[in-house]
Amino acid sequence: MIERNIDIAIAGGGIVGLTTALSLHAAGFRPTVYEAVAAPTPLGVGINLLPHAVRELTELGLLDELLSLGIAIDSLHYLTSNGEEVWQEPRGLAASYHWPQIAIHRGKLQMFLLEKTIERLGANAVHLGHKLVALEGDSTRTRARFVKRNGEETVVDADLLLGADGIHSAVRRHFYPDEGAPRWNGITLWRSTTLVKAPMGGKAMVWAGWHAQKFVAYPIGVDPETGLDILNWICDLKVSDGEMLPVRDWNRPGNRDDFANAFADWKWSDVDVPTIVANSGPIYEFPMVDRDPLPRWTFGMVTLLGDAAHPMYPVGSNGATQGVLDARVLAYHLATAANLPEALARYETERREATSTIVLMNRQMGPDRVLELAVERRKSSNGDLDTILPMAERAAIAEEYKQIAGFSSASLNARGSYSVR
């Protein structure tokens, strides 16, 4: 068995890095987190934690507080651009999962996980303002060099280094120096939140449009002053046919004039997209990017997790969820394997191919493919939607994605635990 007092360094103090720290602590280890940002703040907008991620966070004892911070989603609705329903299904507990699906503000989730990490592991377990700039090692140890903003260097010798430092991962770049920038599909996303009565019963996810123009919305909380729902929304618009990402800031402020006109007539019985966009808070602009799946995550005593390992298009709400699974699976194998090489091999065997499949399936629109089929078949036929896109075909698309992404309700409810007893 692996000694619990080994030195484990985690590069990255985001959602995945902090979940990894909490998972390792629950398994008896004492990791240390190194985060480049000196003073984290609750940035970003909303994300969805699917039931297979919420299961893992529940087993870490976090469910009640997560529910107080977010919204338990109970349904998903796919609509055409004129509001016609293509597919709907229950979600979370309403779909017979043993765990809910939680929509939550990304920044609030990160700050909550940071608070829990410090509470459980101690303040010395998290080092902020430490940017990874170099690493070296062999089959038994790794040395990482971190730099603070003032230029001061910290050298960390670790038995194991975990790269959870996001899509621009320095750890990944060390092993794949010629990979280049993330792969852009020409689609830009504008994201924000609006105080409004959330549509479709108040706890629903709404997906409307097709791959080149889409509107997504779901509630992530309740405003304490007005009592209105905080509706997280995203407008996707294809703006280029090229894969070369423009040189610009990520997460930069967005401009309504760049996309609002394209959604001007997207008004349906329970959803008014122009009004939602017009009344929003600050808007942020993101490119829709991913990276090609890697042939290998682990090099000596270094491995990758989350977006450092498998950044994917935001299709099917699986990005953060898959990172949470990485954290729990890695902690489980470290706690149950005979030695570090065996643990890392088992982790990569379980997670790399599974996440690579999701990355590639998301490029083919994943469960959103049902919207694309509705548009394509309407172009070639004037028939009723139930005739040109049978309900059984729609159900098969939804279930196939759940199976591949690991959250078919029957299999998830029956799967064994990653907790180490």
Side-chain angles (χ1 to χ4, degrees):
M1 297 293 287
I2 298 170
E3 296 292 333
R4 294 302 196 267
N5 63 352
I6 63 169
D7 295 320
I8 302 177
I10 300 171
I15 292 169
V16 175
L18 295 169
T19 302
T20 302
L22 290 167
S23 299
L24 289 169
H25 174 262
F29 297 97
R30 300 288 298 183
T32 304
V33 177
Y34 297 87
E35 164 56 38
V37 175
T41 55
L43 299 175
V45 280
I47 61 170
N48 265 273
L49 296 171
L50 298 181
H52 45 327
V54 176
R55 172 181 180 171
E56 303 310 325
L57 297 171
T58 298
E59 294 193 17
L60 291 173
L62 304 176
L63 177 60
D64 289 345
E65 289 166 286
L66 286 173
L67 287 170
S68 73
L69 294 172
I71 297 293
I73 296 297
D74 63 13
S75 62
L76 166 66
H77 302 261
Y78 278 122
L79 311 175
T80 64
S81 59
N82 62 11
E84 182 181 9
E85 190 165 82
V86 178
W87 175 252
Q88 70 84 24
E89 64 182 37
R91 282 292 178 119
L93 298 177
S96 299
Y97 290 97
H98 294 171
W99 304 272
Q101 174 176 328
I102 300 176
I104 189 170
H105 188 284
R106 176 184 290 273
K108 287 185 178 180
L109 174 60
Q110 182 178 354
M111 299 304 292
F112 168 69
L113 294 172
L114 176 60
E115 174 189 326
K116 288 299 173 183
T117 300
I118 292 173
E119 176 185 303
R120 295 181 183 185
L121 280 75
N124 291 332
V126 180
H127 296 267
L128 301 175
H130 283 66
K131 180 181 179 181
L132 179 67
V133 294
L135 62 97
E136 60 185 33
D138 53 29
S139 61
T140 60
R141 296 280 292 179
T142 295
R143 170 168 288 185
R145 184 159 60 89
F146 296 89
V147 174
K148 298 181 181 180
R149 285 191 175 182
N150 63 7
E152 180 184 342
E153 291 189 2
T154 300
V155 176
V156 176
D157 288 308
D159 296 296
L160 179 62
L161 174 67
L162 306 177
D165 48 344
I167 193 170
H168 300 294
S169 169
V171 180
R172 178 174 175 139
R173 188 166 58 249
H174 175 82
F175 296 108
Y176 295 95
D178 299 324
E179 185 177 30
R183 181 180 183 274
W184 184 40
N185 66 357
I187 294 175
T188 295
L189 295 79
W190 289 269
R191 308 187 62 158
S192 186
T193 59
T194 301
L195 299 183
V196 66
K197 181 181 179 182
M200 307 288 186
K203 295 184 178 181
M205 303 171 70
V206 177
W207 250 249
W210 64 100
H211 84 281
Q213 184 175 350
K214 190 184 302 175
F215 175 76
V216 176
Y218 49 85
I220 58 173
V222 176
D223 178 60
E225 294 185 6
T226 64
L228 292 171
D229 297 305
I230 303 171
L231 187 71
N232 177 81
W233 58 262
I234 309 105
C235 285
D236 299 1
L237 204 57
K238 190 168 182 63
V239 297
S240 172
D241 292 325
E243 293 186 4
M244 184 64 68
L245 189 64
V247 177
R248 60 189 183 189
D249 291 337
W250 287 53
N251 197 23
R252 69 176 186 171
N255 188 334
R256 287 181 184 84
D257 293 340
D258 292 337
F259 68 96
N261 286 344
F263 296 87
D265 60 351
W266 287 38
K267 301 178 182 180
W268 318 303
S269 61
D270 202 25
V271 182
D272 185 334
V273 176
T275 298
I276 290 170
V277 171
N279 294 329
S280 78
I283 296 172
Y284 300 95
E285 179 182 325
F286 302 82
M288 186 182 287
V289 295
D290 68 1
R291 291 187 184 274
D292 289 332
L294 294 176
R296 180 180 175 186
W297 289 355
T298 303
F299 298 82
M301 291 297 103
V302 182
T303 198
L304 302 171
L305 304 91
D307 280 351
H310 47 74
M312 58 186 67
Y313 292 160
V315 173
S317 304
N318 252 286
T321 288
Q322 294 300 321
V324 169
L325 287 172
D326 290 345
R328 291 281 289 164
V329 171
L330 178 59
Y332 173 79
H333 289 305
L334 287 171
T336 58
N339 52 60
L340 283 172
E342 178 187 328
L344 296 176
R346 282 166 42 177
Y347 159 68
E348 184 165 335
T349 296
E350 183 168 348
R351 296 298 299 151
R352 186 171 58 81
E353 184 176 348
T355 53
S356 295
T357 301
I358 299 171
V359 170
L360 297 177
M361 192 172 187
N362 281 3
R363 288 182 181 177
Q364 302 302 316
M365 293 170 278
D368 295 6
R369 187 159 53 94
V370 71
L371 291 173
E372 203 69 16
L373 291 175
V375 172
E376 291 175 357
R377 294 183 187 179
R378 272 280 166 76
K379 288 180 180 178
S380 60
S381 172
N382 293 323
D384 180 80
L385 190 60
D386 288 340
T387 301
I388 62 177
L389 185 57
M391 195 61 68
E393 184 178 0
R394 304 180 220 179
I397 291 169
E399 183 58 26
E400 179 189 22
Y401 190 77
K402 292 185 180 75
Q403 291 284 353
I404 289 173
F407 70 111
S408 171
S409 60
S411 58
L412 177 60
N413 290 344
R415 175 176 64 73
S417 173
Y418 288 121
S419 293
V420 181
R421 307 300 181 188

